[in-house]
Amino acid sequence: MSAVDAGLLLLRAALALLLLGHAAQKTLGWFRGAGLSGTAGMFHTLGFRPARPMVAVAAASETVGAVLLLAGAAVPLGAAVVCGTMAVAGAANADKGLWAHRGGYEVALAYGVTAAALAFTGPGAYSVDALLGAAEHPWWVGAAAVGLGLAAALPVLLRRRAALRRGEAD
């Protein structure tokens, strides 16, 4: 077992488990989360409309990204999903500053940057991608994954911005 491969496995597992917990907070109310109804209320306030479906999309994105990263399967795609989801989450809290204790975007930034790093490094030897011979890829695959995630976040952020400007209700 190489130290790098063990480190990548640990990094993937930690990020994936945190993301799965985050999704469970949103939808199931686990880990002191607000559950679907409570999170929908928060999403509405933040401008994500319609709120309940947007909660479902966010939780599904976190779950899909987490499962792909945990398994080390299609890691650039999983990283893209996480980067995009965290870009949206971070932007929604940007007005509160960086630090999480003030409601800021610290956690979203940490998760997104970790996913981006995995997009560049690949999953390591202990992964489905390695079993398929796809664990290593050129640098531009990581850059494309991050770009794809950010591009996917843009329509959601633009829609949120328009809803906030209109004061739109569900």
Side-chain angles (χ1 to χ4, degrees):
M1 175 182 281
S2 86
V4 170
D5 290 324
L8 289 170
L9 176 61
L10 176 61
L11 189 63
R12 289 188 354 251
L15 178 59
L17 293 173
L18 288 167
L19 287 166
L20 289 170
H22 206 68
Q25 286 178 310
K26 280 182 182 69
T27 56
L28 303 172
W30 293 1
F31 313 115
R32 297 159 128 195
L36 186 57
S37 294
T39 305
M42 179 190 64
F43 269 43
H44 181 83
T45 300
L46 291 171
F48 296 108
R49 316 278 167 66
R52 283 179 82 90
M54 292 302 291
V55 172
V57 168
S61 296
E62 290 167 349
T63 301
V64 168
V67 168
L68 290 173
L69 292 176
L70 183 60
V75 165
L77 178 61
V81 171
V82 172
C83 285
T85 305
M86 292 303 114
V88 171
N93 294 313
D95 62 329
K96 298 175 187 120
L98 174 62
W99 303 112
H101 76 282
R102 301 260 187 209
Y105 59 92
E106 175 186 2
V107 172
L109 178 64
Y111 291 0
V113 168
T114 302
L118 289 167
F120 281 95
T121 64
Y126 308 111
S127 65
V128 171
D129 284 354
L131 288 173
L132 299 174
E136 294 184 28
H137 48 260
W139 70 268
W140 59 263
V141 172
V146 172
L148 176 63
L150 296 176
L154 190 59
V156 177
L157 292 172
L158 291 173
R159 181 182 167 115
R160 172 185 179 254
R161 182 179 185 186
L164 288 172
R165 282 190 177 160
R166 289 190 305 267
E168 177 183 299
D170 275 338

